[in-house]
Amino acid sequence: YFQSGLTDLIIASNEFSGSIPSSLFTTSMPNIQILDIEGNDFEGTIPQSLTKTTNLKSFLASYNTRLSGPLLIGSDWTKMTSLRLAHTQITGYIPSDIGSRVPKLQTLVLEKTRIGGTLPATGIGNLTQLRVLSLEESKISGMLPSTIQNLKRLEILDMLDNDLTGTVPSEMGVLTSLQHILLGKNRLVGTIPTEIGLLTNLGK
């Protein structure tokens, strides 16, 4: 295995397969900071042992189409800035306390997964460092919470092809960093808030 002092494991865009060994994060790499396994053929679930690590900054596992099991977000991932699990079979929901679990999160990409439930108002509202929120083609339902107004650094909001209902919150008008809003293929109703016109960076 690897030396216990190893902090970065980047093996993206290969043809690795099988399950992710749980022992990697207990004995081999307890101080892991960057785990990039994107673009492989891993299967099975995310090891519980990974959620016990305390220094993880980036967990990138997109494009492992046979990776499954529930979405796991460690309670000690307070240094996490990037979480990408797109194009997997990951299930579950976004925890209501996600804001306290990953308060420094800048990128949350869970598009084309099986994650459902609603966007937790308090949890999402506490992700004040978030720049990218992408849940395209997942199973998110309910309303866009008004607490989204707290995400002042948000640049990309991609909720395309989910099951969102209700109206577009006028509070989005304060998100002046927004460059892209993708809300197509949902069940949203009502009018487009005039406040959206304040978003002068859209399309940039």
Side-chain angles (χ1 to χ4, degrees), residues 24-38:
L24 280 181
F25 313 112
T26 54
T27 57
S28 301
M29 295 185 295
N31 299 311
I32 184 87
Q33 294 181 17
I34 298 175
L35 177 61
D36 184 356
I37 61 171
E38 289 189 329

mmCIF file with all atom_site columns, all heavy atoms in Angstrom, residues 24-38:
data_model
loop_
_atom_site.group_PDB
_atom_site.id
_atom_site.type_symbol
_atom_site.label_atom_id
_atom_site.label_alt_id
_atom_site.label_comp_id
_atom_site.label_asym_id
_atom_site.label_entity_id
_atom_site.label_seq_id
_atom_site.pdbx_PDB_ins_code
_atom_site.Cartn_x
_atom_site.Cartn_y
_atom_site.Cartn_z
_atom_site.occupancy
_atom_site.B_iso_or_equiv
_atom_site.pdbx_formal_charge
_atom_site.auth_seq_id
_atom_site.auth_comp_id
_atom_site.auth_asym_id
_atom_site.auth_atom_id
_atom_site.pdbx_PDB_model_num
ATOM 1   N N   . LEU A 1 24 ? -7.444  2.143  2.989   1.00 0.00 ? 24 LEU A N   1
ATOM 2   C CA  . LEU A 1 24 ? -6.641  3.268  2.506   1.00 0.00 ? 24 LEU A CA  1
ATOM 3   C C   . LEU A 1 24 ? -6.696  4.450  3.470   1.00 0.00 ? 24 LEU A C   1
ATOM 4   O O   . LEU A 1 24 ? -5.720  5.169  3.640   1.00 0.00 ? 24 LEU A O   1
ATOM 5   C CB  . LEU A 1 24 ? -7.135  3.721  1.129   1.00 0.00 ? 24 LEU A CB  1
ATOM 6   C CG  . LEU A 1 24 ? -6.701  2.945  -0.113  1.00 0.00 ? 24 LEU A CG  1
ATOM 7   C CD1 . LEU A 1 24 ? -7.301  3.583  -1.348  1.00 0.00 ? 24 LEU A CD1 1
ATOM 8   C CD2 . LEU A 1 24 ? -5.188  2.886  -0.229  1.00 0.00 ? 24 LEU A CD2 1
ATOM 9   N N   . PHE A 1 25 ? -7.843  4.633  4.090   1.00 0.00 ? 25 PHE A N   1
ATOM 10  C CA  . PHE A 1 25 ? -8.061  5.856  4.864   1.00 0.00 ? 25 PHE A CA  1
ATOM 11  C C   . PHE A 1 25 ? -7.972  5.621  6.375   1.00 0.00 ? 25 PHE A C   1
ATOM 12  O O   . PHE A 1 25 ? -8.190  6.544  7.158   1.00 0.00 ? 25 PHE A O   1
ATOM 13  C CB  . PHE A 1 25 ? -9.420  6.449  4.487   1.00 0.00 ? 25 PHE A CB  1
ATOM 14  C CG  . PHE A 1 25 ? -9.617  6.490  3.003   1.00 0.00 ? 25 PHE A CG  1
ATOM 15  C CD1 . PHE A 1 25 ? -10.559 5.672  2.399   1.00 0.00 ? 25 PHE A CD1 1
ATOM 16  C CD2 . PHE A 1 25 ? -8.833  7.298  2.197   1.00 0.00 ? 25 PHE A CD2 1
ATOM 17  C CE1 . PHE A 1 25 ? -10.724 5.681  1.018   1.00 0.00 ? 25 PHE A CE1 1
ATOM 18  C CE2 . PHE A 1 25 ? -8.984  7.306  0.829   1.00 0.00 ? 25 PHE A CE2 1
ATOM 19  C CZ  . PHE A 1 25 ? -9.932  6.494  0.234   1.00 0.00 ? 25 PHE A CZ  1
ATOM 20  N N   . THR A 1 26 ? -7.634  4.410  6.752   1.00 0.00 ? 26 THR A N   1
ATOM 21  C CA  . THR A 1 26 ? -7.446  4.127  8.169   1.00 0.00 ? 26 THR A CA  1
ATOM 22  C C   . THR A 1 26 ? -5.978  3.925  8.508   1.00 0.00 ? 26 THR A C   1
ATOM 23  O O   . THR A 1 26 ? -5.484  4.448  9.504   1.00 0.00 ? 26 THR A O   1
ATOM 24  C CB  . THR A 1 26 ? -8.243  2.885  8.591   1.00 0.00 ? 26 THR A CB  1
ATOM 25  O OG1 . THR A 1 26 ? -7.903  1.788  7.726   1.00 0.00 ? 26 THR A OG1 1
ATOM 26  C CG2 . THR A 1 26 ? -9.737  3.150  8.502   1.00 0.00 ? 26 THR A CG2 1
ATOM 27  N N   . THR A 1 27 ? -5.280  3.194  7.652   1.00 0.00 ? 27 THR A N   1
ATOM 28  C CA  . THR A 1 27 ? -3.874  2.894  7.933   1.00 0.00 ? 27 THR A CA  1
ATOM 29  C C   . THR A 1 27 ? -2.917  3.473  6.902   1.00 0.00 ? 27 THR A C   1
ATOM 30  O O   . THR A 1 27 ? -1.811  3.885  7.248   1.00 0.00 ? 27 THR A O   1
ATOM 31  C CB  . THR A 1 27 ? -3.658  1.371  7.995   1.00 0.00 ? 27 THR A CB  1
ATOM 32  O OG1 . THR A 1 27 ? -4.077  0.779  6.758   1.00 0.00 ? 27 THR A OG1 1
ATOM 33  C CG2 . THR A 1 27 ? -4.454  0.761  9.140   1.00 0.00 ? 27 THR A CG2 1
ATOM 34  N N   . SER A 1 28 ? -3.336  3.529  5.635   1.00 0.00 ? 28 SER A N   1
ATOM 35  C CA  . SER A 1 28 ? -2.413  3.926  4.571   1.00 0.00 ? 28 SER A CA  1
ATOM 36  C C   . SER A 1 28 ? -2.350  5.435  4.363   1.00 0.00 ? 28 SER A C   1
ATOM 37  O O   . SER A 1 28 ? -1.273  5.999  4.197   1.00 0.00 ? 28 SER A O   1
ATOM 38  C CB  . SER A 1 28 ? -2.809  3.251  3.250   1.00 0.00 ? 28 SER A CB  1
ATOM 39  O OG  . SER A 1 28 ? -2.795  1.851  3.385   1.00 0.00 ? 28 SER A OG  1
ATOM 40  N N   . MET A 1 29 ? -3.514  6.093  4.353   1.00 0.00 ? 29 MET A N   1
ATOM 41  C CA  . MET A 1 29 ? -3.550  7.530  4.062   1.00 0.00 ? 29 MET A CA  1
ATOM 42  C C   . MET A 1 29 ? -4.513  8.251  5.002   1.00 0.00 ? 29 MET A C   1
ATOM 43  O O   . MET A 1 29 ? -5.475  8.892  4.558   1.00 0.00 ? 29 MET A O   1
ATOM 44  C CB  . MET A 1 29 ? -3.961  7.766  2.606   1.00 0.00 ? 29 MET A CB  1
ATOM 45  C CG  . MET A 1 29 ? -2.966  7.250  1.599   1.00 0.00 ? 29 MET A CG  1
ATOM 46  S SD  . MET A 1 29 ? -3.446  7.694  -0.104  1.00 0.00 ? 29 MET A SD  1
ATOM 47  C CE  . MET A 1 29 ? -4.966  6.753  -0.264  1.00 0.00 ? 29 MET A CE  1
ATOM 48  N N   . PRO A 1 30 ? -4.269  8.214  6.297   1.00 0.00 ? 30 PRO A N   1
ATOM 49  C CA  . PRO A 1 30 ? -5.197  8.873  7.230   1.00 0.00 ? 30 PRO A CA  1
ATOM 50  C C   . PRO A 1 30 ? -5.197  10.394 7.106   1.00 0.00 ? 30 PRO A C   1
ATOM 51  O O   . PRO A 1 30 ? -6.137  11.053 7.562   1.00 0.00 ? 30 PRO A O   1
ATOM 52  C CB  . PRO A 1 30 ? -4.680  8.438  8.601   1.00 0.00 ? 30 PRO A CB  1
ATOM 53  C CG  . PRO A 1 30 ? -3.221  8.172  8.380   1.00 0.00 ? 30 PRO A CG  1
ATOM 54  C CD  . PRO A 1 30 ? -3.135  7.587  7.006   1.00 0.00 ? 30 PRO A CD  1
ATOM 55  N N   . ASN A 1 31 ? -4.140  10.953 6.482   1.00 0.00 ? 31 ASN A N   1
ATOM 56  C CA  . ASN A 1 31 ? -4.026  12.406 6.355   1.00 0.00 ? 31 ASN A CA  1
ATOM 57  C C   . ASN A 1 31 ? -4.306  12.894 4.932   1.00 0.00 ? 31 ASN A C   1
ATOM 58  O O   . ASN A 1 31 ? -3.870  13.973 4.544   1.00 0.00 ? 31 ASN A O   1
ATOM 59  C CB  . ASN A 1 31 ? -2.629  12.854 6.784   1.00 0.00 ? 31 ASN A CB  1
ATOM 60  C CG  . ASN A 1 31 ? -2.338  12.513 8.236   1.00 0.00 ? 31 ASN A CG  1
ATOM 61  O OD1 . ASN A 1 31 ? -3.147  12.802 9.117   1.00 0.00 ? 31 ASN A OD1 1
ATOM 62  N ND2 . ASN A 1 31 ? -1.195  11.891 8.492   1.00 0.00 ? 31 ASN A ND2 1
ATOM 63  N N   . ILE A 1 32 ? -5.058  12.093 4.178   1.00 0.00 ? 32 ILE A N   1
ATOM 64  C CA  . ILE A 1 32 ? -5.348  12.428 2.780   1.00 0.00 ? 32 ILE A CA  1
ATOM 65  C C   . ILE A 1 32 ? -5.989  13.808 2.671   1.00 0.00 ? 32 ILE A C   1
ATOM 66  O O   . ILE A 1 32 ? -6.874  14.166 3.444   1.00 0.00 ? 32 ILE A O   1
ATOM 67  C CB  . ILE A 1 32 ? -6.265  11.350 2.157   1.00 0.00 ? 32 ILE A CB  1
ATOM 68  C CG1 . ILE A 1 32 ? -6.516  11.591 0.680   1.00 0.00 ? 32 ILE A CG1 1
ATOM 69  C CG2 . ILE A 1 32 ? -7.576  11.220 2.914   1.00 0.00 ? 32 ILE A CG2 1
ATOM 70  C CD1 . ILE A 1 32 ? -5.501  11.009 -0.215  1.00 0.00 ? 32 ILE A CD1 1
ATOM 71  N N   . GLN A 1 33 ? -5.516  14.601 1.699   1.00 0.00 ? 33 GLN A N   1
ATOM 72  C CA  . GLN A 1 33 ? -6.059  15.933 1.441   1.00 0.00 ? 33 GLN A CA  1
ATOM 73  C C   . GLN A 1 33 ? -6.776  15.999 0.096   1.00 0.00 ? 33 GLN A C   1
ATOM 74  O O   . GLN A 1 33 ? -7.821  16.640 -0.020  1.00 0.00 ? 33 GLN A O   1
ATOM 75  C CB  . GLN A 1 33 ? -4.955  16.982 1.494   1.00 0.00 ? 33 GLN A CB  1
ATOM 76  C CG  . GLN A 1 33 ? -4.333  17.147 2.870   1.00 0.00 ? 33 GLN A CG  1
ATOM 77  C CD  . GLN A 1 33 ? -3.263  18.226 2.882   1.00 0.00 ? 33 GLN A CD  1
ATOM 78  O OE1 . GLN A 1 33 ? -3.187  19.065 1.986   1.00 0.00 ? 33 GLN A OE1 1
ATOM 79  N NE2 . GLN A 1 33 ? -2.421  18.213 3.902   1.00 0.00 ? 33 GLN A NE2 1
ATOM 80  N N   . ILE A 1 34 ? -6.218  15.351 -0.911  1.00 0.00 ? 34 ILE A N   1
ATOM 81  C CA  . ILE A 1 34 ? -6.815  15.341 -2.240  1.00 0.00 ? 34 ILE A CA  1
ATOM 82  C C   . ILE A 1 34 ? -6.970  13.897 -2.704  1.00 0.00 ? 34 ILE A C   1
ATOM 83  O O   . ILE A 1 34 ? -5.991  13.153 -2.789  1.00 0.00 ? 34 ILE A O   1
ATOM 84  C CB  . ILE A 1 34 ? -5.968  16.120 -3.256  1.00 0.00 ? 34 ILE A CB  1
ATOM 85  C CG1 . ILE A 1 34 ? -5.856  17.594 -2.843  1.00 0.00 ? 34 ILE A CG1 1
ATOM 86  C CG2 . ILE A 1 34 ? -6.565  16.021 -4.658  1.00 0.00 ? 34 ILE A CG2 1
ATOM 87  C CD1 . ILE A 1 34 ? -4.931  18.416 -3.722  1.00 0.00 ? 34 ILE A CD1 1
ATOM 88  N N   . LEU A 1 35 ? -8.206  13.517 -3.000  1.00 0.00 ? 35 LEU A N   1
ATOM 89  C CA  . LEU A 1 35 ? -8.490  12.192 -3.555  1.00 0.00 ? 35 LEU A CA  1
ATOM 90  C C   . LEU A 1 35 ? -9.214  12.389 -4.867  1.00 0.00 ? 35 LEU A C   1
ATOM 91  O O   . LEU A 1 35 ? -10.372 12.818 -4.896  1.00 0.00 ? 35 LEU A O   1
ATOM 92  C CB  . LEU A 1 35 ? -9.345  11.377 -2.585  1.00 0.00 ? 35 LEU A CB  1
ATOM 93  C CG  . LEU A 1 35 ? -9.779  9.988  -3.079  1.00 0.00 ? 35 LEU A CG  1
ATOM 94  C CD1 . LEU A 1 35 ? -8.559  9.111  -3.367  1.00 0.00 ? 35 LEU A CD1 1
ATOM 95  C CD2 . LEU A 1 35 ? -10.704 9.309  -2.076  1.00 0.00 ? 35 LEU A CD2 1
ATOM 96  N N   . ASP A 1 36 ? -8.522  12.119 -5.969  1.00 0.00 ? 36 ASP A N   1
ATOM 97  C CA  . ASP A 1 36 ? -9.076  12.302 -7.306  1.00 0.00 ? 36 ASP A CA  1
ATOM 98  C C   . ASP A 1 36 ? -9.065  10.964 -8.030  1.00 0.00 ? 36 ASP A C   1
ATOM 99  O O   . ASP A 1 36 ? -8.014  10.497 -8.472  1.00 0.00 ? 36 ASP A O   1
ATOM 100 C CB  . ASP A 1 36 ? -8.266  13.344 -8.074  1.00 0.00 ? 36 ASP A CB  1
ATOM 101 C CG  . ASP A 1 36 ? -8.857  13.653 -9.450  1.00 0.00 ? 36 ASP A CG  1
ATOM 102 O OD1 . ASP A 1 36 ? -9.842  12.994 -9.828  1.00 0.00 ? 36 ASP A OD1 1
ATOM 103 O OD2 . ASP A 1 36 ? -8.330  14.544 -10.133 1.00 0.00 ? 36 ASP A OD2 1
ATOM 104 N N   . ILE A 1 37 ? -10.240 10.361 -8.128  1.00 0.00 ? 37 ILE A N   1
ATOM 105 C CA  . ILE A 1 37 ? -10.377 9.067  -8.807  1.00 0.00 ? 37 ILE A CA  1
ATOM 106 C C   . ILE A 1 37 ? -11.341 9.177  -9.985  1.00 0.00 ? 37 ILE A C   1
ATOM 107 O O   . ILE A 1 37 ? -11.911 8.180  -10.444 1.00 0.00 ? 37 ILE A O   1
ATOM 108 C CB  . ILE A 1 37 ? -10.846 7.977  -7.824  1.00 0.00 ? 37 ILE A CB  1
ATOM 109 C CG1 . ILE A 1 37 ? -12.211 8.336  -7.230  1.00 0.00 ? 37 ILE A CG1 1
ATOM 110 C CG2 . ILE A 1 37 ? -9.822  7.762  -6.717  1.00 0.00 ? 37 ILE A CG2 1
ATOM 111 C CD1 . ILE A 1 37 ? -12.833 7.204  -6.411  1.00 0.00 ? 37 ILE A CD1 1
ATOM 112 N N   . GLU A 1 38 ? -11.547 10.372 -10.490 1.00 0.00 ? 38 GLU A N   1
ATOM 113 C CA  . GLU A 1 38 ? -12.520 10.586 -11.564 1.00 0.00 ? 38 GLU A CA  1
ATOM 114 C C   . GLU A 1 38 ? -12.142 9.814  -12.826 1.00 0.00 ? 38 GLU A C   1
ATOM 115 O O   . GLU A 1 38 ? -10.967 9.578  -13.118 1.00 0.00 ? 38 GLU A O   1
ATOM 116 C CB  . GLU A 1 38 ? -12.625 12.083 -11.893 1.00 0.00 ? 38 GLU A CB  1
ATOM 117 C CG  . GLU A 1 38 ? -13.327 12.869 -10.805 1.00 0.00 ? 38 GLU A CG  1
ATOM 118 C CD  . GLU A 1 38 ? -13.624 14.304 -11.195 1.00 0.00 ? 38 GLU A CD  1
ATOM 119 O OE1 . GLU A 1 38 ? -12.859 14.890 -11.980 1.00 0.00 ? 38 GLU A OE1 1
ATOM 120 O OE2 . GLU A 1 38 ? -14.613 14.851 -10.691 1.00 0.00 ? 38 GLU A OE2 1
#
